[in-house]
Amino acid sequence: MTTTPSTAPETVDVLIVGAGPTGLLLAGDLAAQGISVTLVERRPHRTNNMTRAFAVHARTLELLDSRGLADELIKTGMPLASLRFFGKLSLDLSRLHTRFPFVLITPQYEVEHLLERRSRTAGVHFRYETELTSLHQSAAAQSVTAELREADGSRTTLTARYLVGTDGMRSPVRHALGLPFPGRSVIRSMVLADVRLADEPSDILTVSGEGDAFTFIAPFGDGWYRVMGWHRAHQAADSDPVDLDELREICRTALGTDFGMHEARWISRFHSDERQVPSYRTGRVFLAGDAAHVHSPAGGQGMNTGLQDAANLSWKLAAVLRGHTADPEALLDSYHAERHPVGARVLRTSGALVRLAMARTPLQRAVRTVTSKALAAVRPASDKAIGMVSGISIAYRAPRGAHPLTAKRAPDLSLREGRLHQLLRDGTFVLVTPDGTAAPASPAPLVHAHWQGDRTTTLLVRPDGYIAWASDHPDPAALRAALDR
């Protein structure tokens, strides 16, 4: 039976489903470029979603810096210059070549607060307590029609030129597309709670896996701590009862102490999956964040990967919607081509960390010890691990014959006109040239900047901070072709 919508259909450039960090960054980026955006969220406004995210890595801080938000976010948390795993392996983040050589420990709601404020300022239309129930793509109309259910049960329809699902691991958008989400559960019966501690841990971030248990403790900064714990001997269903005594016992097993844990304001049990959708794009519908990939919390890469998905997709949608590209389909397809391998790599790295933490047999634990010592002692291996966890080493596949810098992350260059990240804040490309080089006519807005010294390389930097094209010699025709693409 079909329910007649209670209001006339609406039309918007982009409909985003899901108001977590990924959806908020995407919405703000698009609206800042003059794109009409509606963001729907099934939860009421300001409802705490019991987030597990606490780590904001260096590459994500760079993306927030290019939106003018990083310095404000840093004030909400605590920078951590090293990551320690298993009590033996320490990764020195201060070696990162970035303005942010650390991981910022701050709750996800601080990230959401800044991104929501930016989105509202840019003109995003929010619709809370609204749930997507179905969608239909029309090739002839070049649109997507979504049916939505409001809090009072009434139904409305909304037509958009593009739709993006940033609606979590149980994504209604993904289900509406009929896409599989292959993978499996890797951790069962993880206990999660917000508690107070009588004794403050010595480290800002406490992570340990010893014997049959591991524990993660992170501060909110207001006297409350987020604690996650797992014990091999207690594999209960998510729906089974859980209490603070169980979490205390896990912490004592993994850490030798429970830090005087008391006064839980909430406590629950959950499981962690490793899954990835085969395609991030289906026609005019895209998936990003947990709707596209989920993995264990090891390494704190989940929210960061979703935010980087959004930064990759937003400028491409804006370029297509504003008619700034000669090949819209190829540009939109590049979102899946670039981000799907990154999601797969995050599944592998977080999976490797959690399997090391869950090492059970003497042989597995010996492998963990050897691996930890090797990463600590061998500088190239350690640097590679740091680059992967922080996101700084992420690069995309360059076309055959391209300059070696093409598709790599551009560092925050100090240019005559200012820092690169500051020049990216308008969401435009940045062309970096030596003095005396004229900027060509561009189909899209372009900031022309110059090296401070005598460097002769020409760089075309994308709005997401990756190098779209580079040359060591003047090549106006090739530059123009890159701008058209």
Side-chain angles (χ1 to χ4, degrees):
M1 178 177 177
T2 301
T3 302
T4 302
S6 59
T7 62
E10 303 174 36
T11 302
V12 68
D13 287 332
V14 180
L15 171 62
I16 300 172
V17 181
T22 302
L24 289 169
L25 188 139
L26 178 65
D29 280 5
L30 291 168
Q33 293 300 309
I35 307 300
S36 62
V37 180
T38 291
L39 196 158
V40 301
E41 168 59 53
R42 62 176 178 80
R43 295 172 295 155
H45 190 216
R46 300 294 185 196
T47 296
N48 189 333
N49 68 342
M50 306 302 184
T51 173
R52 299 193 295 271
F54 266 83
V56 184
H57 284 296
R59 180 58 191 142
T60 303
L61 287 168
E62 290 183 341
L63 293 173
L64 294 174
D65 188 27
S66 66
R67 289 155 177 80
L69 300 175
D71 290 338
E72 187 174 356
L73 182 66
I74 289 170
K75 294 176 184 177
T76 70
M78 291 165 280
L80 188 63
S82 65
L83 284 174
R84 185 178 298 275
F85 299 96
F86 323 126
K88 305 175 183 65
L89 171 61
S90 180
L91 298 179
D92 183 6
L93 302 177
S94 68
R95 300 207 304 261
L96 288 169
H97 298 292
T98 173
R99 187 168 175 247
F100 309 103
F102 51 82
V103 57
L104 180 69
I105 304 304
T106 191
Q108 178 176 316
Y109 60 70
E110 297 288 1
V111 179
E112 291 180 348
H113 171 72
L114 292 180
L115 293 175
E116 182 187 335
R117 186 187 69 194
R118 173 176 178 258
S119 295
R120 290 189 181 278
T121 300
V124 173
H125 180 210
F126 285 80
R127 292 174 62 168
Y128 286 91
E129 297 185 81
T130 302
E131 186 175 2
L132 179 131
T133 57
S134 66
L135 63 85
H136 172 72
Q137 300 194 59
S138 170
Q142 298 186 329
S143 64
V144 183
T145 298
E147 184 169 302
L148 309 172
R149 182 168 55 227
E150 311 290 347
D152 62 3
S154 63
R155 294 179 182 267
T156 61
T157 60
L158 190 150
T159 300
R161 293 179 66 184
Y162 294 97
L163 185 150
V164 186
T166 58
D167 48 348
M169 68 173 293
R170 295 179 178 84
S171 170
V173 173
R174 192 184 63 244
H175 284 294
L177 292 171
L179 293 175
F181 203 35
R184 64 190 183 93
S185 294
V186 290
I187 309 176
R188 296 189 181 277
S189 198
M190 180 83 79
V191 179
L192 185 68
D194 287 353
V195 302
R196 292 193 182 275
L197 303 178
D199 303 316
E200 184 176 334
S202 57
D203 294 330
I204 296 174
L205 192 67
T206 304
V207 183
S208 181
E210 294 295 334
D212 287 328
F214 68 77
T215 299
F216 166 94
I217 303 175
F220 281 96
D222 59 359
W224 290 95
Y225 289 80
R226 170 63 50 82
V227 182
M228 285 192 290
W230 173 86
H231 199 292
R232 192 187 314 277
H234 194 171
Q235 298 294 291
D238 290 356
S239 57
D240 282 7
V242 59
D243 58 30
L244 197 55
D245 285 340
E246 181 180 343
L247 188 56
R248 289 192 187 104
E249 179 60 28
I250 294 172
C251 288
R252 287 193 291 266
T253 302
L255 299 166
T257 177
D258 62 14
F259 298 102
M261 189 181 302
H262 64 283
E263 195 181 340
R265 60 183 174 187
W266 68 270
I267 187 167
S268 68
R269 196 188 305 277
F270 73 100
H271 67 275
S272 179
D273 288 358
E274 285 181 355
R275 299 183 185 277
Q276 187 177 29
V277 72
S279 177
Y280 285 14
R281 180 189 183 193
T282 304
R284 290 180 170 265
V285 182
F286 301 83
L287 296 171
D290 286 354
H293 47 77
V294 293
H295 47 83
S296 85
Q301 298 175 82
M303 178 179 67
N304 293 272
T305 306
L307 290 169
Q308 292 163 35
D309 288 345
N312 183 286
L313 179 58
S314 64
W315 72 266
K316 296 173 180 179
L317 278 173
V320 169
L321 286 164
R322 298 178 70 186
H324 291 161
T325 178
D327 193 343
E329 293 304 306
L331 185 60
L332 294 178
D333 282 344
S334 73
Y335 167 63
H336 169 86
E338 291 182 344
R339 293 306 300 172
H340 191 275
V342 173
R345 190 181 80 171
V346 171
L347 260 69
R348 290 194 300 270
T349 56
S350 63
L353 283 172
V354 79
R355 285 167 178 78
L356 287 173
M358 294 169 65
R360 181 175 188 176
T361 68
L363 177 59
Q364 290 171 336
R365 291 173 184 168
V367 169
R368 181 173 70 188
T369 299
V370 170
T371 301
S372 299
K373 289 181 177 178
L375 284 174
V378 181
R379 181 68 175 262
S382 178
D383 286 346
K384 183 175 181 180
I386 292 167
M388 290 172 64
V389 172
S390 68
I392 291 296
S393 69
I394 291 174
Y396 301 129
R397 179 174 294 179
R400 186 182 299 274
H403 189 280
L405 293 176
T406 302
K408 291 183 171 59
R409 157 192 164 269
D412 189 18
L413 303 168
S414 180
L415 304 169
R416 186 171 301 172
E417 291 77 7
R419 292 191 297 113
L420 175 63
H421 289 169
Q422 292 172 325
L423 300 179
L424 287 168
R425 287 180 183 175
D426 288 333
T428 63
F429 279 75
V430 175
L431 178 65
V432 183
T433 70
D435 275 342
T437 302
S442 171
L446 182 72
V447 173
H448 188 191
H450 302 83
W451 298 107
Q452 285 194 347
D454 57 0
R455 188 167 176 178
T456 60
T457 304
T458 297
L459 301 179
L460 180 63
V461 183
R462 305 180 345 180
D464 62 353
Y466 284 86
I467 298 169
W469 178 88
S471 175
D472 293 325
H473 309 285
D475 192 347
L479 174 57
R480 174 65 202 211
L483 285 166
D484 287 342
R485 287 195 303 273

